[in-house]
Amino acid sequence: MIVKKIKTTISGKRREHQIGDLVDYIRSAKGQDAHEKLLYTGSRNFFAETHVSQKVAMIALARESTQSKMPVSHWVFSWPQGAIPSFAEVEQLVDIFLKEMGLEGHQAIFGLHGNTENIHLHVAINRMNSDTNLVVRTNNGFDIKQAHKALAVIENAQG
């Protein structure tokens, strides 16, 4: 399995629109070629249950950030070709990843996609802490290094 942080591209869109587009993409059922891509979806640490309500809540909390241009991080986990994770494994992956990144209790929206040769999981995490109103900098900004450590913990837990 691999993990990759998707860099935020600088565009003319406001941060709110970028977050909304990301969350909509993660939970979009259809791929560009009209094939089903969304195999499973979930979230963490929202009071709301609907997609629209969770998207609005994530945008509202991110809007409180004055320190970060983009407090929502986008991560992708990709399984080897032919590997199909169970929904329980996806849930466990998200829980372990949030814990290892120091982001337990933070808002997260995720979707398992099957529209490529490798099944992959997109995870959007709001690094804005709702209790402190501060953006968490995982591992003092070395979040990719920490993500690889988290991946080792995940792989150990899942065999």
Side-chain angles (χ1 to χ4, degrees), residues 79-99:
W79 280 264
Q81 189 172 355
I84 303 172
S86 69
F87 298 156
E89 288 173 324
V90 170
E91 294 281 343
Q92 181 186 42
L93 180 151
V94 172
D95 288 339
I96 292 172
F97 189 69
L98 290 173
K99 180 180 179 187

Side-chain angles (χ1 to χ4, degrees), residues 41-60:
T41 187
S43 63
R44 295 288 183 277
N45 306 305
F46 287 94
F47 293 115
E49 293 184 18
T50 68
H51 170 71
V52 172
S53 297
Q54 288 178 351
K55 178 171 75 169
V56 169
M58 184 173 267
I59 290 169

Side-chain angles (χ1 to χ4, degrees), residues 16 54-65 107 126:
E16 293 84 359
Q54 288 178 351
K55 178 171 75 169
V56 169
M58 184 173 267
I59 290 169
L61 182 58
R63 191 179 275 164
E64 296 296 317
S65 170
Q107 296 171 336
N126 196 342

Side-chain angles (χ1 to χ4, degrees), residues 76-131:
V76 176
F77 294 85
S78 182
W79 280 264
Q81 189 172 355
I84 303 172
S86 69
F87 298 156
E89 288 173 324
V90 170
E91 294 281 343
Q92 181 186 42
L93 180 151
V94 172
D95 288 339
I96 292 172
F97 189 69
L98 290 173
K99 180 180 179 187
E100 294 297 318
M101 297 297 282
L103 297 168
E104 267 185 315
H106 286 244
Q107 296 171 336
I109 293 174
F110 55 93
L112 186 67
H113 291 185
N115 60 328
T116 64
E117 291 181 9
N118 299 72
I119 290 180
H120 55 283
L121 179 72
H122 291 268
V123 183
I125 305 170
N126 196 342
R127 296 178 298 114
M128 183 74 171
N129 186 304
S130 61
D131 295 329

